[in-house]
Amino acid sequence: VESEQLVGLAEIRDAAKRIAGLVRRTPIVPTSLGTASSPLLLKAENLQVTGSFKARGAGNAVALLSPEERARGVITHSSGNHAQALARAAREAGIHATVVMPRQTPDVKQLATLRHGARVELVEPSERASRVEEIRAETGAVFISPFDNPHIIAGQGTVGLEIFEDVPELASVWVPVSGGGLISGIAAAIKALAPHVRIIGVEPELAGDLAEGFARGQRVTWEAARTGRTIADGLRVQAVGELNWPHITAYVDHVVTVSEDAIRSALRQVVLGCKLVSEPSGAVSVAGFLEHHAVAGHGPAVAVVSGGNVEPSVLAELLGAESERARESG
Amino acid sequence: VESEQLVGLAEIRDAAKRIAGLVRRTPIVPTSLGTASSPLLLKAENLQVTGSFKARGAGNAVALLSPEERARGVITHSSGNHAQALARAAREAGIHATVVMPRQTPDVKQLATLRHGARVELVEPSERASRVEEIRAETGAVFISPFDNPHIIAGQGTVGLEIFEDVPELASVWVPVSGGGLISGIAAAIKALAPHVRIIGVEPELAGDLAEGFARGQRVTWEAARTGRTIADGLRVQAVGELNWPHITAYVDHVVTVSEDAIRSALRQVVLGCKLVSEPSGAVSVAGFLEHHAVAGHGPAVAVVSGGNVEPSVLAELLGAESERARESG
């Protein structure tokens, strides 16, 4: 991929104008989790419509469809936040959306996607791609990847514009990485505005495909059985996208990994200390900062809390464990 | 109390300047909980330092101490958010704070107050007031009431200034009521700026002393055994303060009550739908809007989520119940 194919600041600024009426400008929330030299602030994308940053990219991609494409509708496969985001963006635009989901997708996520007006079809995980192809062939629906798409990257990049506007003195941004759409967009925006700001990708150790690939200088893929073990259900994608890889190699300074215990501990701190409901994936950035802040040097750090769509039972279990701990130590 | 003794807009504006460096300007968070004619927005004071709006009043009251009073330090009795807020405000000002707490206060609240640098003393609930008197006599410490104090009211009123600045088109504000410090300040600010905006106080049915008194036109006191039954532990005060009562009769339009079930349901919606960690008391305003929005007429409504200091076990139990329900209905 040539550098002229990378998403640029102008496209991200255009995306910001395009989606201004569709998404929220989420707040920056201060915390007491930082160090003396690096205060930590959270970009609260858990407060975004549909509960995650995915509404930005989906909104931009849908807005850029041609009239002819709009008539055909959109399709994606996702069990997660992109499904809800695309469903909502399509409904806002008055077009049809189809989401192909693995049969195992939790009820609450199936229901949320249906509630946003999409047609949902459940399939065996192995049939996901082929079923999407069949529906595309039948209906002509436009496939919108959750991350491997320049309009998605430009939309997610609006998170970076807002961070820089609200915290112009920032020194680092910490971003959870799965397919790489969010970090590609944020990095493209921030490096164009302030090249000295460090961009740090954070992955669970159990889904550390980018950390491995970044160290080796070559995009790698991990097996689903391997990435599927992390509690961070939004970060189980097996490799960053083909278009995301060159953005990451061009703009990202470090990729670090965190243990499952570190993710659980960070999630408890975000919920009980910062009073924000995060999903496990959303707290991975905070875990990364807490373990690795030395790599970023001094100055304010912003961690992106990417989403808040946590299963009630997962959160209850985590908080139950917390009150156990409080009783024991009390 | 004569109207010239009520806290006015000028004092609230002065308070805002005085505490600007000590507290956060909390965000307004949109929700999907409103009606077609009345969108509902949340004023997220759960994201305030010390986890509640109490930091505002305490910050203002401490800043207004004379040098001679500062030397003597401050004292209060509180098992809740005012304790942490006063402890922090005192530490920021470099003065001593003593908090007398009932022996039954949960460990986490004792620890949080200690961590903010206060001297904490545990007593039998019945000895609370007498022990405060003893310490005042010994040390000359200045007593700072959680609500019945003009500087506290002016500090809490800064919530109203911010709401009006961020949502100038608002039609109503919904405020949880306990001793009445928060609603007194907010109502004084908003009615001075926009007299047409409806101010609605919300209480648990189980702690509905103000609702009863407001209807009868006379301040009433409920027994602690009665108010102690609500899950909204921040709203168990037995009566509004003497200085709060005339603010409320002058400026508040309605006082409504909500059931324990309505509080639990609103709390689940704030946590799972709006992604904000609220304490039960903080969701009482949302419960009030959901049940009684007709009293406010059309236009944007702002509910104050007053704090986020919820016991992990209480939240876990509530979310556990939620996932039970999802399983049953799924």
Side-chain angles (χ1 to χ4, degrees):
Chain A
V1 182
E2 299 298 316
S3 78
E4 60 266 32
Q5 292 177 255
L6 299 184
V7 171
L9 186 59
E11 288 156 272
I12 299 171
R13 286 189 163 141
D14 286 348
K17 282 178 214 143
R18 210 171 279 127
I19 65 176
L22 296 171
V23 303
R24 295 180 188 155
R25 195 182 201 302
T26 55
I28 292 282
V29 176
T31 76
S32 56
L33 302 177
T35 65
S37 61
S38 292
L40 178 67
L41 306 148
L42 305 181
K43 174 65 169 170
E45 282 293 298
N46 61 323
L47 303 180
Q48 187 51 267
V49 291
T50 73
S52 86
F53 72 94
K54 296 277 189 182
R56 298 173 183 262
N60 191 47
V62 166
L64 282 165
L65 295 173
S66 68
E68 184 265 334
E69 288 171 320
R70 293 168 54 94
R72 292 189 274 139
V74 292
I75 185 168
T76 199
H77 53 71
S78 163
S79 58
N81 289 330
H82 177 63
Q84 293 181 51
L86 187 66
R88 178 179 181 274
R91 189 174 58 181
E92 295 278 321
I95 70 178
H96 286 286
T98 304
V99 176
V100 174
M101 279 186 174
R103 223 172 267 294
Q104 293 75 2
T105 304
D107 291 354
V108 289
K109 296 200 169 176
Q110 297 178 27
L111 292 168
T113 308
L114 285 169
R115 230 175 285 132
H116 284 298
R119 170 183 153 188
V120 174
E121 194 172 317
L122 301 178
V123 298
E124 296 307 320
S126 59
E127 294 166 4
R128 217 159 58 153
S130 61
R131 186 59 192 132
V132 166
E133 267 316 302
E134 277 173 32
I135 299 173
R136 285 176 71 177
E138 282 167 26
T139 64
V142 179
F143 176 68
I144 304 211
S145 160
F147 48 82
D148 201 354
N149 173 315
H151 303 157
I152 294 287
I153 292 173
Q156 321 305 30
T158 61
V159 174
L161 293 185
E162 293 177 10
I163 290 172
F164 187 70
E165 240 177 77
D166 288 353
V167 194
E169 72 283 16
L170 88 167
S172 63
V173 186
W174 301 73
V175 189
V177 175
S178 187
L182 180 60
I183 198 167
S184 296
I186 288 177
I190 299 267
K191 287 292 186 178
L193 293 162
H196 63 279
V197 174
R198 302 293 177 90
I199 309 291
I200 298 120
V202 190
E203 287 182 314
E205 283 170 11
L206 295 180
D209 54 278
L210 177 62
E212 183 191 324
F214 196 78
R216 287 169 46 181
Q218 165 186 346
R219 179 167 161 263
V220 302
T221 300
W222 281 23
E223 284 174 19
R226 201 170 170 195
T227 61
R229 295 169 304 161
T230 178
I231 189 181
D233 55 302
L235 308 183
R236 292 175 184 157
V237 170
Q238 298 162 250
V240 298
E242 284 182 28
L243 182 59
N244 306 97
W245 173 254
H247 285 82
I248 290 167
T249 53
Y251 297 132
V252 171
D253 296 287
H254 302 279
V255 179
V256 299
T257 62
V258 288
S259 69
E260 296 296 295
D261 275 354
I263 297 170
R264 286 170 184 275
S265 167
L267 183 54
R268 277 192 294 265
Q269 293 182 69
V270 170
V271 172
L272 295 174
C274 308
K275 315 298 181 191
L276 292 172
V277 176
S278 171
E279 55 190 86
S281 306
V284 163
S285 54
V286 175
F289 170 86
L290 292 174
E291 290 214 346
H292 300 280
H293 54 79
V295 305
H298 292 190
V302 175
V304 181
V305 176
S306 51
N309 294 325
V310 58
E311 296 291 312
S313 58
V314 169
L315 196 53
E317 193 204 317
L318 209 75
L319 295 170
E322 176 68 22
S323 48
E324 280 302 319
R325 182 169 305 123
R327 261 196 297 281
E328 281 161 19
S329 72
Chain B
V1 183
E2 300 298 316
S3 79
E4 60 266 33
Q5 292 176 257
L6 298 185
V7 171
L9 186 59
E11 289 156 272
I12 299 171
R13 286 190 164 140
D14 286 347
K17 281 178 217 143
R18 210 171 278 128
I19 65 176
L22 296 171
V23 303
R24 296 180 187 155
R25 194 181 200 303
T26 55
I28 292 282
V29 176
T31 76
S32 57
L33 302 177
T35 65
S37 62
S38 293
L40 177 67
L41 306 148
L42 305 181
K43 175 64 169 171
E45 282 293 299
N46 61 322
L47 303 180
Q48 187 52 267
V49 291
T50 73
S52 87
F53 72 93
K54 296 278 190 182
R56 297 171 183 263
N60 191 48
V62 166
L64 281 164
L65 295 173
S66 68
E68 184 265 333
E69 289 172 319
R70 293 167 55 93
R72 291 189 276 139
V74 292
I75 185 167
T76 199
H77 52 70
S78 163
S79 57
N81 290 329
H82 178 62
Q84 293 179 52
L86 188 66
R88 178 180 181 274
R91 189 174 56 181
E92 295 278 322
I95 70 178
H96 285 287
T98 304
V99 176
V100 174
M101 279 187 175
R103 226 172 265 294
Q104 293 75 2
T105 304
D107 291 353
V108 289
K109 296 200 170 176
Q110 297 179 26
L111 293 169
T113 308
L114 286 170
R115 228 175 287 132
H116 284 298
R119 168 183 155 189
V120 173
E121 193 171 318
L122 301 179
V123 298
E124 296 307 319
S126 59
E127 295 166 4
R128 218 158 58 153
S130 60
R131 186 61 191 134
V132 166
E133 268 316 303
E134 276 174 31
I135 298 173
R136 284 175 71 176
E138 282 167 27
T139 64
V142 179
F143 176 67
I144 304 210
S145 160
F147 48 81
D148 201 354
N149 174 315
H151 304 157
I152 294 286
I153 292 173
Q156 322 304 30
T158 61
V159 175
L161 294 184
E162 293 176 10
I163 290 172
F164 187 69
E165 239 177 77
D166 288 352
V167 194
E169 72 282 17
L170 88 166
S172 63
V173 186
W174 301 72
V175 189
V177 175
S178 188
L182 181 60
I183 197 167
S184 295
I186 289 178
I190 299 265
K191 288 292 185 179
L193 293 162
H196 64 279
V197 174
R198 301 293 177 92
I199 309 292
I200 298 123
V202 189
E203 287 182 314
E205 283 171 12
L206 296 180
D209 53 279
L210 177 63
E212 184 191 322
F214 196 78
R216 287 169 45 182
Q218 163 185 349
R219 179 167 161 263
V220 302
T221 300
W222 281 25
E223 283 173 20
R226 200 169 171 197
T227 61
R229 297 169 302 163
T230 177
I231 189 180
D233 55 301
L235 308 184
R236 292 176 184 156
V237 170
Q238 297 163 250
V240 299
E242 284 182 28
L243 182 60
N244 305 97
W245 173 253
H247 285 82
I248 290 167
T249 53
Y251 297 132
V252 171
D253 296 287
H254 302 279
V255 179
V256 298
T257 62
V258 289
S259 69
E260 296 295 296
D261 275 354
I263 297 169
R264 287 170 183 276
S265 167
L267 182 55
R268 278 193 293 266
Q269 292 182 72
V270 170
V271 172
L272 296 173
C274 307
K275 315 299 180 190
L276 293 173
V277 176
S278 171
E279 56 189 85
S281 306
V284 163
S285 55
V286 175
F289 170 87
L290 293 174
E291 291 214 347
H292 300 280
H293 54 79
V295 305
H298 293 190
V302 175
V304 181
V305 176
S306 51
N309 294 326
V310 58
E311 296 291 312
S313 58
V314 169
L315 195 54
E317 192 203 319
L318 209 76
L319 295 169
E322 176 67 22
S323 48
E324 280 302 319
R325 182 169 304 125
R327 260 197 297 281
E328 282 162 19
S329 72

